[in-house]
């Protein structure tokens, strides 16, 4: 049986428009998902995307998500990026210490 985060990732991918999914993949690869906080069965993270970093909350056990970006498309690229990063264990997040802004944004 798949882990809840893997099931949520599959649900998000199925619900995403192809261009939105591609944007999410790009954000995840760039390490844009940061400030992660697992809270019980939920995952809360922020996604660097322009001037404002929206907050995404994933509910893997329920197959649901939220994002405060205000976008009209659901799921948005921020949700896709967070689900991808969470399914990968946030392995692609650049190392650099707590609270730093990063720097070498490829």
């Amino acid at each position: 049986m798949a882990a809840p985060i893997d099931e949520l990732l599959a649900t998000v991918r199925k619900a995403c428009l192809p261009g939105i999914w591609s944007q999410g993949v790009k954000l995840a690869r760039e390490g844009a998902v940061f400030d992660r906080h697992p809270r019980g069965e939920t995952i809360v993270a922020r996604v660097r995307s322009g001037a404002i970093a929206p907050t995404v909350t994933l509910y893997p056990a329920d197959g649901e998500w939220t994002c405060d970006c205000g976008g009209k498309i659901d799921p948005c690229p921020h949700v896709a990026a967070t689900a991808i990063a969470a399914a990968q264990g946030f392995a692609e997040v650049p190392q650099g210490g707590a609270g730093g802004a990063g720097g070498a944004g490829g």
Side-chain angles (χ1 to χ4, degrees):
M1 184 191 308
I5 190 61
D6 294 329
E7 292 178 12
L8 179 66
L9 178 64
T11 300
V12 170
R13 183 167 190 172
K14 193 175 196 179
C16 271
L17 297 169
I20 298 296
W21 179 256
S22 294
Q23 291 174 34
V25 168
K26 183 177 184 225
L27 288 168
R29 284 185 181 157
E30 291 173 348
V33 181
F34 72 105
D35 197 23
R36 304 159 316 280
H37 298 289
R39 295 181 183 156
E41 294 184 2
T42 65
I43 299 166
V44 179
R46 299 193 60 204
V47 182
R48 283 185 193 91
S49 174
I52 297 174
T55 300
V56 174
T57 305
L58 302 178
Y59 305 92
D62 299 325
E64 297 180 4
W65 56 82
T66 64
C67 180
D68 66 2
C69 71
K72 294 180 182 180
I73 298 174
D74 183 33
C76 63
H78 313 112
V79 168
T82 304
I84 293 164
Q88 295 174 345
F90 295 101
E92 296 185 20
V93 173
Q95 298 179 13

Coordinates of all heavy atoms in Angstrom, one line a residue:
M1 N 0.8 -1.2 0.0 CA 0.0 0.0 0.0 C 0.9 1.2 0.0 O 1.9 1.3 0.7 CB -0.9 0.0 1.2 CG -1.8 1.2 1.2 SD -2.8 1.6 2.7 CE -3.6 0.1 3.1
A2 N 0.5 2.2 -0.8 CA 1.3 3.5 -0.9 C 1.1 4.3 0.4 O 0.1 4.3 1.0 CB 0.9 4.2 -2.1
A3 N 2.2 5.1 0.7 CA 2.1 6.0 1.8 C 1.1 7.1 1.4 O 0.9 7.5 0.3 CB 3.5 6.6 2.1
P4 N 0.5 7.7 2.5 CA -0.5 8.8 2.2 C 0.1 9.9 1.3 O -0.6 10.5 0.5 CB -0.9 9.3 3.6 CG -0.7 8.1 4.5 CD 0.5 7.4 3.9
I5 N 1.4 10.3 1.5 CA 1.9 11.4 0.7 C 2.1 11.0 -0.7 O 1.9 11.8 -1.6 CB 3.3 11.9 1.3 CG1 3.7 13.2 0.6 CG2 4.4 10.8 1.2 CD1 2.8 14.3 0.8
D6 N 2.4 9.7 -1.0 CA 2.5 9.2 -2.4 C 1.1 9.2 -3.0 O 1.0 9.6 -4.2 CB 3.1 7.8 -2.4 CG 4.5 7.8 -2.0 OD1 5.2 8.9 -2.2 OD2 5.0 6.8 -1.4
E7 N 0.1 8.9 -2.3 CA -1.3 8.9 -2.8 C -1.7 10.4 -3.1 O -2.3 10.6 -4.1 CB -2.2 8.2 -1.8 CG -2.0 6.7 -1.7 CD -2.9 6.1 -0.7 OE1 -3.9 6.7 -0.2 OE2 -2.7 4.9 -0.4
L8 N -1.4 11.3 -2.2 CA -1.7 12.7 -2.4 C -1.0 13.2 -3.6 O -1.5 13.9 -4.4 CB -1.3 13.5 -1.1 CG -1.6 15.0 -1.3 CD1 -3.1 15.3 -1.4 CD2 -1.1 15.8 -0.1
L9 N 0.3 12.8 -3.8 CA 1.1 13.3 -4.9 C 0.4 12.8 -6.2 O 0.2 13.6 -7.2 CB 2.5 12.7 -4.9 CG 3.4 13.1 -6.1 CD1 3.6 14.6 -6.2 CD2 4.7 12.3 -6.0
A10 N -0.1 11.6 -6.3 CA -0.8 11.1 -7.4 C -2.1 11.8 -7.7 O -2.4 12.2 -8.8 CB -1.1 9.6 -7.3
T11 N -2.8 12.2 -6.6 CA -4.0 12.9 -6.7 C -3.8 14.3 -7.3 O -4.5 14.8 -8.2 CB -4.7 13.0 -5.4 OG1 -5.0 11.7 -4.9 CG2 -6.0 13.8 -5.4
V12 N -2.7 15.0 -6.7 CA -2.4 16.3 -7.2 C -2.0 16.3 -8.7 O -2.4 17.1 -9.5 CB -1.3 16.9 -6.3 CG1 -0.7 18.2 -7.0 CG2 -1.8 17.2 -4.9
R13 N -1.2 15.3 -9.0 CA -0.7 15.2 -10.4 C -1.9 15.0 -11.4 O -2.0 15.6 -12.4 CB 0.3 14.1 -10.6 CG 0.8 14.1 -12.0 CD 2.0 13.2 -12.1 NE 2.6 13.4 -13.4 CZ 3.7 12.9 -13.8 NH1 4.5 12.2 -13.0 NH2 4.2 13.2 -15.0
K14 N -2.8 14.2 -11.0 CA -4.0 13.9 -11.8 C -4.9 15.2 -11.9 O -5.4 15.4 -13.0 CB -4.8 12.8 -11.2 CG -5.8 12.2 -12.1 CD -6.5 11.0 -11.3 CE -7.2 10.2 -12.3 NZ -7.8 9.0 -11.7
A15 N -4.9 16.0 -10.9 CA -5.8 17.2 -10.9 C -5.1 18.4 -11.6 O -5.8 19.3 -12.0 CB -6.1 17.5 -9.5
C16 N -3.8 18.3 -11.7 CA -3.1 19.5 -12.3 C -3.2 19.5 -13.8 O -3.1 18.5 -14.5 CB -1.6 19.4 -12.0 SG -1.1 20.1 -10.4
L17 N -3.3 20.7 -14.3 CA -3.1 21.0 -15.7 C -1.6 20.7 -16.1 O -0.8 21.0 -15.2 CB -3.5 22.4 -16.1 CG -5.0 22.8 -15.9 CD1 -5.1 24.3 -16.0 CD2 -5.8 22.0 -16.8
P18 N -1.3 20.3 -17.3 CA 0.1 20.0 -17.6 C 1.1 21.1 -17.3 O 2.2 20.9 -16.8 CB 0.1 19.6 -19.0 CG -1.3 19.1 -19.3 CD -2.2 19.9 -18.4
G19 N 0.7 22.3 -17.7 CA 1.6 23.5 -17.5 C 1.8 23.8 -16.0 O 2.9 24.2 -15.6
I20 N 0.7 23.6 -15.2 CA 0.8 23.8 -13.8 C 1.7 22.8 -13.1 O 2.6 23.1 -12.3 CB -0.6 23.8 -13.1 CG1 -1.5 24.9 -13.7 CG2 -0.5 23.9 -11.6 CD1 -1.0 26.3 -13.4
W21 N 1.6 21.5 -13.5 CA 2.4 20.5 -13.0 C 3.9 20.8 -13.3 O 4.8 20.6 -12.5 CB 2.0 19.1 -13.6 CG 2.9 18.0 -13.1 CD1 3.9 17.4 -13.7 CD2 2.9 17.4 -11.7 NE1 4.5 16.4 -12.9 CE2 3.9 16.4 -11.7 CE3 2.1 17.7 -10.6 CZ2 4.1 15.7 -10.6 CZ3 2.3 16.9 -9.5 CH2 3.3 15.9 -9.5
S22 N 4.2 21.2 -14.6 CA 5.5 21.5 -15.0 C 6.1 22.6 -14.1 O 7.3 22.6 -13.8 CB 5.6 21.9 -16.5 OG 5.2 20.8 -17.3
Q23 N 5.3 23.6 -13.8 CA 5.8 24.7 -13.0 C 6.1 24.2 -11.6 O 7.1 24.6 -11.0 CB 4.7 25.8 -12.9 CG 4.5 26.6 -14.1 CD 3.4 27.6 -14.0 OE1 3.2 28.2 -12.9 NE2 2.7 27.8 -15.1
G24 N 5.3 23.3 -11.1 CA 5.5 22.7 -9.8 C 6.8 21.9 -9.7 O 7.6 21.9 -8.8
V25 N 7.0 21.1 -10.8 CA 8.3 20.3 -10.9 C 9.5 21.2 -10.9 O 10.4 21.0 -10.2 CB 8.3 19.5 -12.2 CG1 9.6 18.9 -12.5 CG2 7.2 18.3 -12.1
K26 N 9.4 22.3 -11.6 CA 10.5 23.3 -11.7 C 10.7 23.9 -10.3 O 11.9 24.0 -9.9 CB 10.2 24.4 -12.7 CG 11.3 25.4 -12.9 CD 11.0 26.4 -14.0 CE 12.1 27.3 -14.2 NZ 11.8 28.7 -14.2
L27 N 9.7 24.3 -9.6 CA 9.9 24.9 -8.3 C 10.5 23.9 -7.3 O 11.4 24.2 -6.5 CB 8.5 25.4 -7.7 CG 7.9 26.6 -8.4 CD1 6.5 26.8 -8.0 CD2 8.8 27.8 -8.0
A28 N 10.0 22.6 -7.4 CA 10.6 21.6 -6.5 C 12.0 21.3 -6.8 O 12.9 21.2 -5.9 CB 9.8 20.3 -6.7
R29 N 12.4 21.3 -8.1 CA 13.8 21.1 -8.5 C 14.7 22.2 -8.0 O 15.9 22.0 -7.7 CB 13.9 20.9 -10.0 CG 13.5 19.5 -10.5 CD 13.7 19.4 -11.9 NE 13.2 18.1 -12.4 CZ 12.9 17.8 -13.6 NH1 13.0 18.7 -14.5 NH2 12.5 16.6 -13.9
E30 N 14.1 23.4 -8.1 CA 14.9 24.6 -7.7 C 15.1 24.7 -6.2 O 15.7 25.6 -5.7 CB 14.3 25.9 -8.2 CG 14.4 26.0 -9.7 CD 13.6 27.1 -10.3 OE1 12.8 27.7 -9.6 OE2 13.7 27.4 -11.5
G31 N 14.4 23.9 -5.4 CA 14.5 23.9 -4.0 C 13.6 25.1 -3.4 O 14.0 25.7 -2.4
A32 N 12.6 25.5 -4.1 CA 11.8 26.6 -3.7 C 10.9 26.3 -2.5 O 10.4 27.3 -1.9 CB 10.9 27.1 -4.9
V33 N 10.7 25.1 -2.2 CA 9.9 24.7 -1.0 C 10.7 24.8 0.3 O 11.8 24.1 0.4 CB 9.3 23.3 -1.2 CG1 8.4 22.9 0.0 CG2 8.5 23.2 -2.5
F34 N 10.3 25.6 1.2 CA 11.1 25.8 2.4 C 10.2 26.0 3.6 O 9.0 26.0 3.5 CB 12.0 27.0 2.2 CG 11.3 28.4 2.3 CD1 11.4 29.2 3.4 CD2 10.6 28.8 1.2 CE1 10.7 30.4 3.4 CE2 9.9 30.0 1.2 CZ 10.0 30.8 2.3
D35 N 10.8 26.2 4.8 CA 10.0 26.5 6.0 C 9.0 25.4 6.3 O 7.9 25.7 6.6 CB 9.4 27.9 5.9 CG 9.0 28.4 7.3 OD1 9.6 28.0 8.3 OD2 8.1 29.3 7.4
R36 N 9.5 24.2 6.2 CA 8.6 23.0 6.3 C 8.3 22.7 7.8 O 9.2 22.7 8.6 CB 9.2 21.8 5.7 CG 9.6 22.0 4.3 CD 10.6 21.1 3.7 NE 11.8 20.8 4.5 CZ 12.9 21.6 4.6 NH1 12.9 22.8 4.1 NH2 13.9 21.2 5.3
H37 N 7.0 22.4 8.1 CA 6.6 22.1 9.5 C 5.6 21.0 9.4 O 4.4 21.2 9.2 CB 6.0 23.3 10.1 CG 6.9 24.5 10.3 ND1 8.0 24.5 11.2 CD2 7.0 25.6 9.7 CE1 8.6 25.6 11.1 NE2 8.0 26.4 10.2
P38 N 6.1 19.7 9.7 CA 5.0 18.7 9.8 C 4.3 18.9 11.1 O 4.8 19.2 12.1 CB 5.9 17.4 9.9 CG 7.3 17.8 9.6 CD 7.4 19.2 9.7
R39 N 3.0 18.9 11.0 CA 2.1 19.1 12.2 C 1.1 18.0 12.2 O 0.1 18.0 11.6 CB 1.4 20.4 12.1 CG 2.3 21.6 12.1 CD 1.6 22.9 12.0 NE 2.5 24.0 12.0 CZ 2.3 25.2 11.5 NH1 1.1 25.5 11.0 NH2 3.2 26.1 11.6
G40 N 1.4 17.0 13.0 CA 0.6 15.8 13.0 C 0.6 15.1 11.7 O 1.6 14.8 11.1
E41 N -0.6 15.0 11.1 CA -0.7 14.4 9.8 C -0.7 15.4 8.7 O -0.9 15.0 7.5 CB -2.0 13.6 9.7 CG -2.0 12.4 10.7 CD -3.2 11.5 10.5 OE1 -4.1 11.8 9.7 OE2 -3.3 10.5 11.3
T42 N -0.5 16.7 9.0 CA -0.4 17.7 7.9 C 1.0 18.1 7.7 O 1.9 18.0 8.6 CB -1.3 18.9 8.3 OG1 -0.7 19.6 9.5 CG2 -2.7 18.5 8.6
I43 N 1.2 18.7 6.6 CA 2.5 19.3 6.2 C 2.3 20.7 5.8 O 1.5 21.0 4.9 CB 3.2 18.5 5.0 CG1 3.4 17.0 5.4 CG2 4.5 19.1 4.6 CD1 3.7 16.1 4.3
V44 N 3.0 21.6 6.4 CA 2.9 23.0 6.1 C 4.3 23.5 5.6 O 5.3 23.2 6.2 CB 2.5 23.9 7.3 CG1 2.4 25.4 7.0 CG2 1.1 23.4 7.9
A45 N 4.3 24.2 4.5 CA 5.5 24.7 3.9 C 5.2 26.0 3.1 O 4.1 26.3 2.8 CB 6.1 23.6 2.9
R46 N 6.3 26.7 2.8 CA 6.2 27.9 2.0 C 7.0 27.6 0.7 O 7.9 26.8 0.7 CB 6.7 29.1 2.8 CG 5.9 29.3 4.1 CD 6.1 30.6 4.7 NE 5.8 31.7 3.9 CZ 6.3 32.9 4.0 NH1 7.1 33.1 5.0 NH2 5.9 33.9 3.2
V47 N 6.6 28.4 -0.3 CA 7.2 28.2 -1.6 C 7.6 29.5 -2.2 O 6.8 30.4 -2.3 CB 6.2 27.5 -2.6 CG1 6.8 27.3 -4.0 CG2 5.6 26.2 -2.0
R48 N 8.9 29.6 -2.4 CA 9.5 30.8 -3.0 C 9.0 30.9 -4.5 O 9.3 30.1 -5.3 CB 11.0 30.8 -3.0 CG 11.6 31.1 -1.7 CD 13.1 31.2 -1.8 NE 13.7 31.2 -0.5 CZ 14.1 30.1 0.2 NH1 14.0 28.9 -0.4 NH2 14.6 30.1 1.4
S49 N 8.2 32.0 -4.8 CA 7.7 32.1 -6.1 C 7.4 33.6 -6.3 O 6.3 34.1 -6.1 CB 6.4 31.3 -6.2 OG 5.7 31.5 -7.4
G50 N 8.4 34.4 -6.7 CA 8.2 35.8 -6.8 C 8.4 36.5 -5.5 O 9.1 36.0 -4.6
A51 N 7.7 37.6 -5.4 CA 7.9 38.5 -4.2 C 7.3 37.9 -3.0 O 7.7 38.2 -1.8 CB 7.3 39.9 -4.5
I52 N 6.2 37.1 -3.1 CA 5.6 36.6 -2.0 C 5.7 35.1 -2.0 O 5.6 34.4 -3.0 CB 4.1 37.0 -2.0 CG1 3.9 38.5 -1.9 CG2 3.3 36.3 -0.9 CD1 2.5 39.0 -2.0
A53 N 6.0 34.5 -0.8 CA 6.1 33.0 -0.7 C 4.8 32.5 -0.1 O 4.6 32.6 1.1 CB 7.3 32.7 0.2
P54 N 3.9 31.9 -0.9 CA 2.7 31.4 -0.4 C 2.9 30.2 0.6 O 3.9 29.5 0.5 CB 1.9 30.9 -1.6 CG 2.6 31.5 -2.8 CD 4.0 31.8 -2.4
T55 N 1.9 30.0 1.5 CA 1.9 28.9 2.4 C 1.0 27.8 1.9 O -0.1 28.1 1.5 CB 1.5 29.4 3.8 OG1 2.4 30.4 4.3 CG2 1.5 28.2 4.8
V56 N 1.5 26.6 1.8 CA 0.8 25.5 1.4 C 0.6 24.5 2.6 O 1.5 24.3 3.3 CB 1.5 24.7 0.2 CG1 0.8 23.4 -0.1 CG2 1.7 25.6 -1.0
T57 N -0.6 24.0 2.7 CA -0.8 23.0 3.7 C -1.4 21.7 3.0 O -2.3 21.8 2.2 CB -1.9 23.4 4.7 OG1 -1.5 24.7 5.3 CG2 -2.1 22.4 5.8
L58 N -0.7 20.6 3.2 CA -1.1 19.3 2.7 C -1.7 18.5 3.7 O -1.2 18.4 4.9 CB 0.1 18.6 2.1 CG 1.0 19.3 1.0 CD1 2.1 18.4 0.6 CD2 0.1 19.7 -0.2
Y59 N -2.8 17.8 3.4 CA -3.4 16.9 4.3 C -3.4 15.5 3.6 O -4.4 15.0 3.1 CB -4.9 17.3 4.5 CG -5.0 18.7 5.0 CD1 -5.2 19.8 4.2 CD2 -5.0 19.0 6.4 CE1 -5.3 21.1 4.6 CE2 -5.1 20.3 6.9 CZ -5.3 21.3 6.0 OH -5.4 22.6 6.4
P60 N -2.3 14.8 3.7 CA -2.1 13.5 3.0 C -3.1 12.5 3.3 O -3.6 11.8 2.4 CB -0.7 13.0 3.4 CG 0.0 14.3 3.8 CD -1.0 15.2 4.4
A61 N -3.5 12.3 4.6 CA -4.5 11.3 5.0 C -5.9 11.6 4.4 O -6.6 10.6 4.1 CB -4.6 11.2 6.5
D62 N -6.2 12.8 4.1 CA -7.5 13.2 3.5 C -7.4 13.4 2.0 O -8.5 13.7 1.4 CB -8.0 14.5 4.2 CG -8.2 14.3 5.7 OD1 -8.5 13.2 6.1 OD2 -7.9 15.3 6.5
G63 N -6.2 13.4 1.4 CA -6.1 13.7 0.0 C -6.5 15.1 -0.4 O -7.0 15.4 -1.4
E64 N -6.2 16.1 0.6 CA -6.6 17.5 0.3 C -5.4 18.4 0.5 O -4.4 18.0 1.1 CB -7.7 17.8 1.3 CG -9.0 17.0 1.0 CD -10.1 17.4 1.9 OE1 -10.0 18.4 2.7 OE2 -11.2 16.8 1.8
W65 N -5.6 19.7 0.1 CA -4.5 20.7 0.2 C -5.2 22.0 0.2 O -6.3 22.2 -0.2 CB -3.6 20.5 -0.9 CG -4.3 20.6 -2.3 CD1 -4.6 21.8 -2.9 CD2 -4.7 19.6 -3.1 NE1 -5.3 21.5 -4.1 CE2 -5.4 20.1 -4.2 CE3 -4.7 18.2 -3.0 CZ2 -5.9 19.4 -5.2 CZ3 -5.2 17.4 -4.0 CH2 -5.8 18.0 -5.1
T66 N -4.4 23.0 0.7 CA -4.7 24.4 0.6 C -3.5 25.2 0.2 O -2.4 24.8 0.5 CB -5.3 25.0 1.9 OG1 -4.3 25.0 2.9 CG2 -6.6 24.2 2.3
C67 N -3.7 26.4 -0.4 CA -2.6 27.3 -0.7 C -3.2 28.7 -0.6 O -4.3 29.0 -1.1 CB -2.0 27.1 -2.1 SG -0.7 28.2 -2.5
D68 N -2.5 29.6 0.0 CA -3.0 31.0 0.2 C -2.5 31.9 -0.9 O -2.5 33.2 -0.7 CB -2.6 31.5 1.6 CG -1.2 31.7 1.8 OD1 -0.3 31.5 0.9 OD2 -0.8 32.1 3.0
C69 N -2.1 31.4 -2.1 CA -1.6 32.3 -3.1 C -2.7 33.1 -3.8 O -2.4 34.1 -4.4 CB -0.9 31.4 -4.2 SG -1.9 30.4 -5.2
G70 N -3.9 32.7 -3.6 CA -5.0 33.4 -4.2 C -5.2 33.1 -5.7 O -6.0 33.8 -6.4
G71 N -4.5 32.1 -6.2 CA -4.7 31.8 -7.7 C -6.0 31.2 -8.0 O -6.7 30.7 -7.1
K72 N -6.4 31.3 -9.2 CA -7.7 30.8 -9.6 C -7.7 29.3 -10.0 O -8.7 28.7 -10.2 CB -8.2 31.6 -10.8 CG -8.5 33.0 -10.4 CD -9.0 33.9 -11.6 CE -9.2 35.3 -11.1 NZ -9.7 36.1 -12.2
I73 N -6.5 28.8 -10.2 CA -6.3 27.4 -10.6 C -6.0 26.5 -9.4 O -5.1 26.9 -8.6 CB -5.3 27.2 -11.7 CG1 -5.7 28.0 -12.9 CG2 -5.0 25.8 -12.0 CD1 -4.6 28.1 -14.0
D74 N -6.7 25.4 -9.2 CA -6.5 24.5 -8.0 C -6.4 23.1 -8.6 O -7.3 22.6 -9.2 CB -7.7 24.7 -7.0 CG -7.5 23.9 -5.8 OD1 -6.3 23.7 -5.4 OD2 -8.5 23.4 -5.2
P75 N -5.3 22.4 -8.3 CA -4.2 22.8 -7.5 C -3.3 23.8 -8.3 O -3.2 23.7 -9.5 CB -3.5 21.5 -7.2 CG -3.9 20.6 -8.3 CD -5.2 21.0 -8.7
C76 N -2.6 24.6 -7.6 CA -1.7 25.6 -8.2 C -0.3 25.0 -8.2 O 0.0 23.9 -7.6 CB -1.7 26.9 -7.3 SG -1.1 26.6 -5.6
P77 N 0.7 25.7 -8.8 CA 2.1 25.2 -8.9 C 2.7 25.0 -7.5 O 3.5 24.2 -7.3 CB 2.8 26.2 -9.7 CG 1.8 27.0 -10.4 CD 0.5 26.9 -9.6
H78 N 2.3 25.8 -6.5 CA 2.8 25.8 -5.2 C 2.4 24.5 -4.5 O 3.2 23.8 -3.8 CB 2.3 27.0 -4.3 CG 2.5 28.2 -5.1 ND1 1.4 29.0 -5.5 CD2 3.5 28.9 -5.5 CE1 1.8 30.0 -6.1 NE2 3.1 30.0 -6.2
V79 N 1.2 24.0 -4.7 CA 0.7 22.8 -4.1 C 1.5 21.6 -4.8 O 2.0 20.7 -4.1 CB -0.8 22.6 -4.3 CG1 -1.2 21.2 -4.1 CG2 -1.6 23.6 -3.5
A80 N 1.6 21.7 -6.1 CA 2.4 20.6 -6.8 C 3.8 20.5 -6.3 O 4.3 19.4 -6.0 CB 2.3 20.9 -8.3
A81 N 4.5 21.7 -6.2 CA 5.9 21.7 -5.8 C 6.0 21.1 -4.3 O 6.9 20.3 -4.1 CB 6.4 23.1 -5.8
T82 N 5.1 21.5 -3.5 CA 5.1 21.0 -2.1 C 4.9 19.5 -2.0 O 5.6 18.8 -1.3 CB 4.1 21.8 -1.2 OG1 4.4 23.2 -1.3 CG2 4.3 21.4 0.3
A83 N 3.9 19.0 -2.8 CA 3.6 17.6 -2.8 C 4.8 16.8 -3.3 O 5.2 15.8 -2.8 CB 2.4 17.3 -3.6
I84 N 5.4 17.3 -4.4 CA 6.6 16.7 -5.0 C 7.7 16.6 -3.9 O 8.3 15.6 -3.7 CB 7.1 17.4 -6.3 CG1 6.0 17.2 -7.4 CG2 8.5 16.9 -6.7 CD1 6.2 18.1 -8.5
A85 N 8.0 17.8 -3.3 CA 9.1 17.9 -2.4 C 8.8 17.0 -1.1 O 9.7 16.3 -0.6 CB 9.3 19.3 -1.9
A86 N 7.6 16.9 -0.7 CA 7.2 16.1 0.5 C 7.4 14.6 0.1 O 7.9 13.9 1.0 CB 5.8 16.4 0.9
A87 N 7.0 14.2 -1.1 CA 7.1 12.8 -1.5 C 8.5 12.4 -1.6 O 8.9 11.3 -1.4 CB 6.3 12.6 -2.8
Q88 N 9.4 13.4 -1.9 CA 10.8 13.1 -2.0 C 11.5 13.3 -0.7 O 12.7 13.2 -0.6 CB 11.5 14.0 -3.0 CG 11.0 13.7 -4.4 CD 11.5 14.7 -5.4 OE1 12.0 15.8 -5.1 NE2 11.3 14.4 -6.7
G89 N 10.8 13.6 0.4 CA 11.4 13.8 1.7 C 12.1 15.1 1.8 O 13.0 15.3 2.6
F90 N 11.7 16.0 0.9 CA 12.3 17.4 0.9 C 13.8 17.2 0.6 O 14.6 18.1 1.1 CB 12.1 18.2 2.2 CG 10.6 18.5 2.4 CD1 9.8 17.8 3.2 CD2 10.0 19.5 1.6 CE1 8.5 18.0 3.4 CE2 8.7 19.8 1.8 CZ 7.9 19.1 2.7
A91 N 14.3 16.2 0.0 CA 15.7 15.9 -0.2 C 16.4 17.0 -1.1 O 17.6 17.2 -1.0 CB 15.9 14.5 -0.9
E92 N 15.6 17.6 -2.0 CA 16.3 18.6 -2.9 C 16.3 20.0 -2.3 O 16.7 20.9 -3.0 CB 15.5 18.6 -4.2 CG 15.6 17.2 -4.9 CD 15.0 17.2 -6.3 OE1 14.8 18.3 -6.9 OE2 14.7 16.1 -6.8
V93 N 16.0 20.2 -1.1 CA 16.0 21.5 -0.5 C 17.5 21.9 -0.3 O 18.2 21.1 0.3 CB 15.2 21.6 0.8 CG1 15.4 22.9 1.5 CG2 13.8 21.3 0.5
P94 N 17.9 23.0 -0.8 CA 19.3 23.4 -0.6 C 19.7 23.5 0.9 O 18.9 24.0 1.6 CB 19.5 24.7 -1.3 CG 18.2 24.9 -2.1 CD 17.2 24.0 -1.5
Q95 N 20.9 23.1 1.2 CA 21.4 23.3 2.6 C 21.9 24.6 2.7 O 22.4 25.2 1.8 CB 22.4 22.2 2.9 CG 21.9 20.8 2.8 CD 23.0 19.8 3.0 OE1 24.1 20.1 3.5 NE2 22.8 18.5 2.7
G96 N 21.8 25.2 3.9 CA 22.3 26.5 4.1 C 22.0 27.1 5.5 O 22.2 28.3 5.7
G97 N 21.5 26.3 6.4 CA 21.2 26.9 7.7 C 19.8 27.4 7.8 O 19.1 27.6 6.9
A98 N 19.4 27.7 9.0 CA 18.1 28.1 9.3 C 17.9 29.6 9.0 O 18.7 30.5 9.3 CB 17.7 27.9 10.8
G99 N 16.8 29.9 8.3 CA 16.4 31.3 8.1 C 17.1 32.0 7.0 O 16.8 33.1 6.7
G100 N 18.1 31.4 6.4 CA 18.9 32.1 5.3 C 18.0 32.2 4.1 O 17.2 31.4 3.8
A101 N 18.3 33.2 3.2 CA 17.6 33.5 2.0 C 18.2 32.6 0.9 O 17.7 32.8 -0.2 CB 17.6 34.9 1.7
G102 N 19.1 31.8 1.1 CA 19.7 31.1 0.0 C 20.7 32.0 -0.7 O 21.4 32.8 -0.1
G103 N 20.8 31.9 -2.0 CA 21.7 32.9 -2.6 C 21.9 32.5 -4.1 O 21.5 33.2 -4.9
A104 N 22.5 31.3 -4.3 CA 22.8 30.9 -5.7 C 21.6 30.4 -6.4 O 21.6 29.2 -6.7 CB 24.0 29.9 -5.6
G105 N 20.6 31.1 -6.7 CA 19.4 30.6 -7.3 C 19.6 30.3 -8.8 O 19.1 31.1 -9.6
G106 N 20.1 29.3 -9.2 CA 20.5 28.8 -10.5 C 19.7 29.2 -11.7 O 19.3 29.3 -12.6

